[in-house]
Amino acid sequence: MTPLPAVTDGPDSLLSPATPDLPISKTAGTGKPEALSHLTLSSTPSLHSPITSSPRSASRHSQIKQEQQRHPTSRSSSPASFDSHNDGPRQTILASFAPRVACFASDDTDDIAKEKGYSEGFYSLLRPFTEHVPGKVVIRDSIGASKAWDDFGLRLFQYQTLSQSAASSVGQLHSNQIDSDENQSEQSLPTNSAFAENATESSIDAIVTRRMHAASNNEQTSTTQDMSNRTDGRTSGAPTPAYVHYLRKILSETVQVPYETFSHPVACIIAVSSRSSAPLEKIRQLYSSSGRANGAIPPWVAVDYLRYYVLVHDEDHDDIVKSTALFDLMKRHFGLHCFLLRIRSIRCTETDDEAIESPRCHWKPADEELAETDEPNHDISSSPSGQYIFESDATAIRSFVREMVTQSILPFMESRVVTWNDQVASKRRGIGGRFMSISKRWTGFGSTRGASTATATGQSAPNSNFDPSRGYYSPESTEAIMRQLADYSFMLRDYKLAYSTYDSLRTDFVNDKAWAYHASANELAGVSFLLIPQVLSIRSRSEVVDQRVEAALYSYLTRCSLPFGAIRSLLLTIELLIGRGPGAAEDAAKWAMKSLELGILSPILQVLMTERIADIRQSQKGAGSMRLGSRQRQAVLWNTLASALWMKLGEPVQASARLHMARAAMNDLGSQTSDLPFPTMRLLYSRLEPNVSNLDVDEGEDNEPLIDLEPASATGQRNGILVDLNDPPVYEEGSESLQSADAAGFSAVEANHPDFERASPG
């Protein structure tokens, strides 16, 4: 075995003192662990990750073993045409904000995975197992309270993604964010082209459409009931599988941007194999790649994340004795953040003994999933992943993922939250912190000369940490650390701390004119507030949720031209409001209709949002014999509109399901078609019924789309949102309603007309 050469820390060393849970003593006067004090390697950073582990990590081992015994590590993959392993939108939202982990693997490690049939290497072998940590995971919040979660997971990505993000983002800066009210402009933030060109929405539309067709083809005998999903045990107001899948794809698009650290790595896996002739030297090279040495990490990403070292042992060809000795040496140098992963290198087939189905990835971005569906012989409706793995390998990988999460990643994140909260956030909350914040924005003794100059030129205030020429804060700045604190708290599901941190950052971002940061902080402040388990009063909805969402939408659309962020903000708000009482459901329907009026939704999402409004209205049954508060007539309207939109998109199966639900709502009211308010509604219903009853679309003029299928304009807006049988509806910018160009059209004004909801059940 090749001995480890000595190392001398360079000026860029990231070495931190050894943590209490590591069985490594320090050499007096050096600040280094004794095991590393004799090592030297020129121009290479220290190999120890800068981590201060939680005090609880030393006593977690026995607790983890007990949890593993109580909770089986196996997990069945049961996705059908639409993913169905989550219960609904709320669970999807909770699981979507997961820590991201980068994978740095040596070539020989990738070769082992490729021999097993995973074409993208070691990353693709681990990825499906990291999306869900087996068993319950105990997380501590900032006040020390523990709570167990059974849906915690990670998002694994290749390190090349970081370098691609840096290459595609840096240099794309242009001044297109204008505040028309104050005539202020901000340098554009680095954004991925998927946002600017609406490629992401187009890919999601294509994926959802294909899955709807697959679901329809698989259940032709009872298509209407299956697509409506209201007669097979689903609760009233539950969303359709297509809507949930669209939401999942929206939340899967974690483009690496500076103003959100959700997309930044929390940790990285440095993997070498037992095949390597110089494994320790390879570890040094991979460690160097995880920093800024080769420019792979964008300048707005902090590099002080956790490093986790993995030695992959080939059970079929290598000697376990040599691998164990090498792993013992790694543990002496790197502490507890190491794992010996023993897997076989031969390919597993369906007929092999102990062959099991490899889990399917549920959080793939839309572009990646669309590329897979374009492959020959790919069946999108089948639940298996098409990949097989030995059961012993699956067990070893699941044990590795659980140990990495419970013993390393969670203690690392918890320790960072405690440190940042005590050393940064708490100081800003006090009187001294507020005084320093004020003095930072004002020059001299109360003079506003610097602030007024900045306002006139459209630049950030003097003494600001925000660089308007580049469009981001330095990772070492106070604002960037506070944003990391808020995002870490959100991922650890400490929503009270996350909300207070997001809320305190909003003012700083406004003063610095960092509008994308401001939009994101407002969005996440509202989402965090809705996730806090508390009674949601009318006042809190009005003063907190509504104001935060309005501010986020204005900054996303007007100042930043980021419609994707506005869509995500609206979807999260709508789903988190549903289920928080009748008043909150009314607000959810209001925001859903607002999303249609803004004209930023893609064609498929317009129809799905119309369906969602119908589902919300159908769940509002009213109270008492008079059914006060009932919204069943509006449910008839929105179901009918959704049916018309599906017909014009050439989807008669979905149109039939929605018209079936409109009939059910009318039967529940004891109404007939002639009882429907507004002649335009009766006309539309009478024209739809004969067409969808035969599940057939005419070849004539009815095939022309009733919604705008044109791409979004430069401002991210599309024209027209609701059904018009002849002419497209006209949306007057700045108004609160839609005005139809023909008597056969509907508008949001008619949808809220008092005649739609009369007190009598008939």
Side-chain angles (χ1 to χ4, degrees):
M1 184 183 305
T2 305
L4 188 66
V7 175
T8 300
D9 293 336
D12 297 330
S13 174
L14 298 176
L15 181 65
S16 65
T19 54
D21 61 317
L22 300 180
I24 301 176
S25 60
K26 295 182 182 178
T27 302
T30 64
K32 293 185 180 181
E34 195 172 56
L36 292 178
S37 59
H38 67 286
L39 306 179
T40 58
L41 181 64
S42 59
S43 68
T44 301
S46 163
L47 297 179
H48 194 280
S49 176
I51 170 177
T52 305
S53 295
S54 172
R56 67 172 185 155
S57 56
S59 62
R60 286 181 59 89
H61 188 68
S62 59
Q63 178 185 1
I64 293 168
K65 291 296 184 183
Q66 295 175 1
E67 290 179 358
Q68 289 177 333
Q69 295 174 0
R70 291 196 303 266
H71 304 283
T73 59
S74 62
R75 181 192 180 207
S76 60
S77 59
S78 58
S81 297
F82 290 103
D83 297 332
S84 58
H85 66 287
N86 276 328
D87 294 333
R90 184 180 179 87
Q91 288 72 23
T92 300
I93 293 171
L94 291 178
S96 65
F97 293 93
R100 285 171 59 84
V101 178
C103 184
F104 294 79
S106 61
D107 294 337
D108 47 271
T109 307
D110 285 334
D111 291 340
I112 293 178
K114 291 177 181 178
E115 291 174 9
K116 295 177 67 66
Y118 294 87
S119 59
E120 297 184 41
F122 188 65
Y123 149 80
S124 59
L125 172 64
L126 295 183
R127 185 184 183 186
F129 294 93
T130 59
E131 291 189 349
H132 179 268
V133 179
K136 290 185 179 294
V137 174
V138 179
I139 304 177
R140 286 186 179 180
D141 59 20
S142 57
I143 60 175
S146 300
K147 187 173 182 180
W149 301 88
D150 58 1
D151 59 347
F152 193 82
L154 303 174
R155 300 291 176 267
L156 194 67
F157 67 98
Q158 290 178 301
Y159 80 95
Q160 291 91 343
T161 308
L162 289 171
S163 58
Q164 292 171 0
S165 176
S168 62
S169 298
V170 176
Q172 292 183 0
L173 308 179
H174 55 280
S175 299
N176 67 338
Q177 302 177 12
I178 299 175
D179 183 353
S180 58
D181 294 336
E182 302 175 5
N183 195 25
Q184 299 169 352
S185 64
E186 176 197 348
Q187 196 77 9
S188 174
L189 289 168
T191 56
N192 190 282
S193 59
F195 282 81
E197 300 176 5
N198 299 303
T200 300
E201 293 179 77
S202 301
S203 300
I204 298 176
D205 282 7
I207 284 293
V208 172
T209 301
R210 293 183 185 185
R211 290 192 175 274
M212 284 191 302
H213 292 166
S216 302
N217 295 334
N218 290 341
E219 304 292 344
Q220 290 180 354
T221 56
S222 55
T223 305
T224 300
Q225 291 184 358
D226 291 333
M227 292 308 301
S228 65
N229 286 288
R230 297 299 181 273
T231 59
D232 57 357
R234 295 175 65 90
T235 58
S236 176
T240 61
Y243 179 86
V244 177
H245 190 74
Y246 203 107
L247 176 64
R248 179 185 297 278
K249 293 295 104 177
I250 287 285
L251 298 177
S252 298
E253 299 296 330
T254 51
V255 178
Q256 289 166 358
V257 290
Y259 53 86
E260 287 186 357
T261 57
F262 290 116
S263 58
H264 301 183
V266 171
C268 75
I269 297 173
I270 297 178
V272 296
S273 75
S274 55
R275 295 181 179 181
S276 177
S277 58
L280 297 177
E281 181 64 26
K282 196 63 181 178
I283 288 178
R284 291 191 186 92
Q285 295 176 7
L286 293 174
Y287 185 94
S288 178
S289 299
S290 67
R292 302 197 190 279
N294 57 358
I297 308 299
W300 61 80
V301 175
V303 295
D304 57 345
Y305 44 80
L306 172 70
R307 271 74 172 177
Y308 196 88
Y309 306 91
V310 180
L311 176 61
V312 181
H313 171 71
D314 184 357
E315 293 276 43
D316 294 319
H317 301 96
D318 294 336
D319 186 0
I320 185 60
V321 177
K322 294 182 179 179
S323 297
T324 303
L326 176 60
F327 181 66
D328 291 338
L329 181 61
M330 290 174 59
K331 288 195 296 184
R332 288 198 298 270
H333 294 312
F334 309 135
L336 295 179
H337 309 302
C338 301
F339 193 88
L340 176 60
L341 181 60
R342 302 172 58 177
I343 58 176
R344 304 181 65 180
S345 60
I346 63 174
R347 185 165 188 166
C348 180
T349 61
E350 187 177 2
T351 57
D352 289 338
D353 295 337
E354 299 184 1
I356 62 172
E357 190 87 39
S358 180
R360 186 174 181 177
C361 291
H362 300 284
W363 291 98
K364 290 183 178 180
D367 293 339
E368 182 179 351
E369 186 175 350
L370 187 62
E372 290 182 356
T373 59
D374 291 335
E375 296 177 358
N377 301 325
H378 179 84
D379 186 5
I380 195 173
S381 63
S382 61
S383 60
S385 62
Q387 195 80 37
Y388 291 89
I389 189 172
F390 293 106
E391 188 174 4
S392 58
D393 292 348
T395 302
I397 295 175
R398 289 190 179 105
S399 299
F400 154 65
V401 171
R402 180 170 181 83
E403 181 171 327
M404 178 179 63
V405 170
T406 55
Q407 291 192 13
S408 296
I409 292 181
L410 284 181
F412 171 78
M413 295 181 67
E414 292 168 353
S415 174
R416 287 301 174 92
V417 167
V418 172
T419 302
W420 290 333
N421 192 31
D422 292 342
Q423 297 181 3
V424 181
S426 61
K427 294 180 180 180
R428 291 170 59 89
R429 297 188 188 105
I431 298 177
R434 295 178 181 178
F435 176 78
M436 292 299 296
S437 178
I438 295 174
S439 62
K440 169 184 164 183
R441 299 193 301 267
W442 295 73
T443 60
F445 295 91
S447 172
T448 61
R449 176 175 49 86
S452 60
T453 302
T455 302
T457 59
Q459 302 298 320
S460 58
N463 300 324
S464 170
N465 292 323
F466 181 71
D467 186 352
S469 63
R470 297 182 178 180
Y472 57 84
Y473 290 94
S474 168
E476 296 80 16
S477 64
T478 302
E479 291 82 1
I481 294 175
M482 289 279 289
R483 176 65 201 222
Q484 270 193 297
L485 167 63
D487 290 348
Y488 274 37
S489 301
F490 196 99
M491 289 185 285
L492 293 175
R493 304 182 183 185
D494 186 358
Y495 299 116
K496 289 185 178 180
L497 178 60
Y499 168 71
S500 63
T501 309
Y502 287 128
D503 199 56
S504 65
L505 283 171
R506 295 184 306 109
T507 304
D508 293 339
F509 295 152
V510 169
N511 294 328
D512 294 341
K513 298 177 177 58
W515 298 124
Y517 285 87
H518 177 257
S520 180
N522 276 284
E523 174 194 359
L524 272 301
V527 172
S528 301
F529 187 81
L530 289 172
L531 287 171
I532 298 175
Q534 61 183 358
V535 177
L536 194 62
S537 63
I538 298 177
R539 181 177 179 180
S540 62
R541 293 201 309 269
S542 174
E543 296 183 355
V544 179
V545 178
D546 290 355
Q547 292 184 14
R548 301 297 181 270
V549 177
E550 287 284 2
L553 293 178
Y554 183 79
S555 292
Y556 272 135
L557 296 176
T558 306
R559 290 165 167 161
C560 304
S561 296
L562 292 175
F564 194 91
I567 292 172
R568 187 186 66 174
S569 178
L570 286 166
L571 289 175
L572 293 175
T573 303
I574 291 166
E575 295 308 318
L576 293 177
L577 281 170
I578 297 174
R580 301 297 296 269
E586 191 70 27
D587 285 354
K590 176 195 70 175
W591 286 114
M593 288 186 284
K594 178 71 172 180
S595 68
L596 295 176
E597 293 181 3
L598 288 174
I600 59 176
L601 305 184
S602 64
I604 291 294
L605 187 53
Q606 289 186 42
V607 192
L608 294 177
M609 188 62 70
T610 305
E611 287 187 326
R612 196 69 184 112
I613 299 173
D615 295 335
I616 297 172
R617 293 310 192 191
Q618 197 142 356
S619 66
Q620 298 173 297
K621 301 292 185 180
S625 58
M626 302 297 293
R627 304 180 70 170
L628 298 176
S630 172
R631 296 293 184 267
Q632 297 307 295
R633 297 185 187 277
Q634 289 196 31
V636 175
L637 166 68
W638 290 104
N639 276 310
T640 306
L641 293 176
S643 178
L645 291 176
W646 281 126
M647 285 291 290
K648 290 306 176 180
L649 288 179
E651 301 292 343
V653 174
Q654 286 75 25
S656 176
R658 279 295 147 180
L659 201 63
H660 172 79
M661 296 182 64
R663 293 194 198 101
M666 285 192 295
N667 293 335
D668 186 48
L669 289 169
S671 302
Q672 302 297 327
T673 305
S674 58
D675 297 330
L676 296 177
F678 299 112
T680 52
M681 182 176 180
R682 293 194 293 269
L683 174 61
L684 177 60
Y685 188 93
S686 61
R687 292 190 59 181
L688 281 172
E689 190 169 25
N691 289 327
V692 301
S693 298
N694 300 324
L695 293 179
D696 184 24
V697 181
D698 296 335
E699 296 294 334
E701 59 181 3
D702 286 341
N703 286 331
E704 297 178 0
L706 290 177
I707 58 177
D708 179 38
L709 299 180
E710 295 293 330
S713 61
T715 60
Q717 292 189 341
R718 295 180 174 87
N719 298 320
I721 60 172
L722 290 180
V723 177
D724 185 356
L725 294 181
N726 296 302
D727 297 325
V730 177
Y731 176 53
E732 294 184 356
E733 189 172 356
S735 66
E736 295 296 330
S737 64
L738 289 169
Q739 297 180 2
S740 175
D742 186 81
F746 290 112
S747 70
V749 175
E750 291 181 336
N752 294 304
H753 196 280
D755 289 345
F756 265 90
E757 307 301 340
R758 291 187 285 268
S760 62

